[in-house]
Amino acid sequence: MRDLAHWKGCPAPKPVLIEGRYVLVEPYDRAKHLNALWSDAFGGMAINPLLKYFSQEDFSGIEDFDTWLSAVQQKSGWVTEVFREKASGKVVGMANYMRADPANGVVEVGGVAHGSAMARSPLSTEAHYLMARHVFEDLGYRRYEWKCHSENQASRTTAARLGFTFEGIFRQHMVSKRANRDTAWFSMIDREWPLIKTAFEQWLSPDNFDRDGRQKQRLEDVRATLAQEERR
């Protein structure tokens, strides 16, 4: 654990452009990204099943999506980052820095939505690697959080795969879509980041993929091997 004797907090997250090998993480721009997210990444009205576990009501069209996204940015302070596939130039998903607590060095990644083009590809892994790296290395945060509906097994699986540690269930945490939501909490912290970072970078290496783009090693296995070597 770092020495906090002279801790002065961290800067608040701001929109940022981060370039990876496979994906660009870029700040949300309504004119550039609204329709691309709605139509290209999320398939129009197919967005509602995709965002089943988000707390907002179902969208009736792009106008509702626009209103919701503007509200969480302006009223809740979300910093929306858009994922663009470098090879095709297409917008493929988004995530947000949210509930930032700069004084304590804590921030959450949430409002995560991966379009179908991100499935079975390195895109989502690299996007989250880049966002985490920015939090820990550029901004100096101590704790990075991931929270989701306890019934959202896909999100829980993703969090664990990316290296977040499950911390427990907050019972009756929220009322979501006129129903109870128990929330699963995950985190990664600064002293864990060096190993998690190395695992990300080894997994994302072109050497880890065959000619058909299939992974040779799972991210979880790369991380476990590194942890075992660290204990020796």
Side-chain angles (χ1 to χ4, degrees):
M1 184 178 296
R2 74 172 81 176
D3 182 0
L4 299 176
H6 303 289
W7 171 257
K8 295 182 179 179
C10 301
K14 295 180 179 179
V16 63
L17 174 66
I18 319 171
E19 183 173 358
R21 180 178 287 115
Y22 306 104
V23 69
L24 284 173
V25 176
E26 57 189 56
Y28 175 78
D29 179 298
R30 183 179 180 276
K32 184 190 300 183
H33 295 129
L34 176 62
N35 190 68
L37 283 171
W38 175 264
S39 301
D40 300 336
F42 304 143
M45 294 302 292
I47 195 172
N48 289 322
L50 178 66
L51 305 189
K52 173 183 177 181
Y53 292 106
F54 280 32
S55 60
Q56 88 292 327
E57 298 295 327
D58 284 353
F59 302 119
S60 61
I62 191 172
E63 295 81 7
D64 283 351
F65 178 63
D66 182 25
T67 298
W68 167 76
L69 196 51
S70 297
V72 294
Q73 292 165 353
Q74 295 168 13
K75 297 179 182 178
S76 301
W78 291 20
V79 178
T80 304
E81 295 288 328
V82 174
F83 305 149
R84 185 183 299 276
E85 182 181 26
K86 289 180 68 175
S88 68
K90 292 182 178 179
V91 169
V92 293
M94 70 175 189
N96 301 263
Y97 292 125
M98 54 192 288
R99 297 193 180 93
D101 180 0
N104 291 298
V106 179
V107 67
E108 177 182 345
V109 58
V112 176
H114 298 163
S116 58
M118 298 185 77
R120 295 176 297 281
S121 80
L123 298 176
S124 62
T125 302
E126 185 176 59
H128 287 287
Y129 158 65
L130 295 173
M131 290 189 72
R133 189 184 70 184
H134 177 63
V135 163
F136 287 116
E137 298 185 10
D138 300 331
L139 303 181
Y141 275 70
R142 303 173 60 237
R143 175 179 167 91
Y144 191 40
E145 297 180 334
W146 178 296
K147 305 186 186 93
C148 61
H149 197 301
S150 63
E151 296 176 4
N152 189 349
Q153 191 57 55
S155 182
R156 293 176 65 169
T157 298
T158 297
R161 176 183 174 274
L162 293 173
F164 288 86
T165 296
F166 176 62
E167 296 182 325
I169 302 292
F170 276 44
R171 299 177 300 165
Q172 296 188 188
H173 178 227
M174 296 171 61
V175 176
S176 176
K177 295 180 178 174
R178 298 178 300 282
N180 176 63
R181 166 174 153 163
D182 296 339
T183 299
W185 284 50
F186 296 80
S187 76
M188 62 175 67
I189 57 178
D190 53 359
R191 70 171 180 264
E192 300 167 340
W193 173 243
L195 186 148
I196 292 171
K197 174 185 178 179
T198 300
F200 271 130
E201 292 177 347
Q202 289 189 14
W203 187 88
L204 288 164
S205 170
D207 293 339
N208 189 45
F209 298 92
D210 65 19
R211 292 181 179 179
D212 297 318
R214 291 188 294 261
Q215 66 177 354
K216 296 177 182 177
Q217 279 190 294
R218 300 189 314 156
L219 180 58
E220 304 94 309
D221 295 337
V222 175
R223 196 166 53 247
T225 298
L226 290 170
Q228 186 177 35
E229 291 174 351
E230 193 175 75
R231 289 192 293 268
R232 289 174 182 168

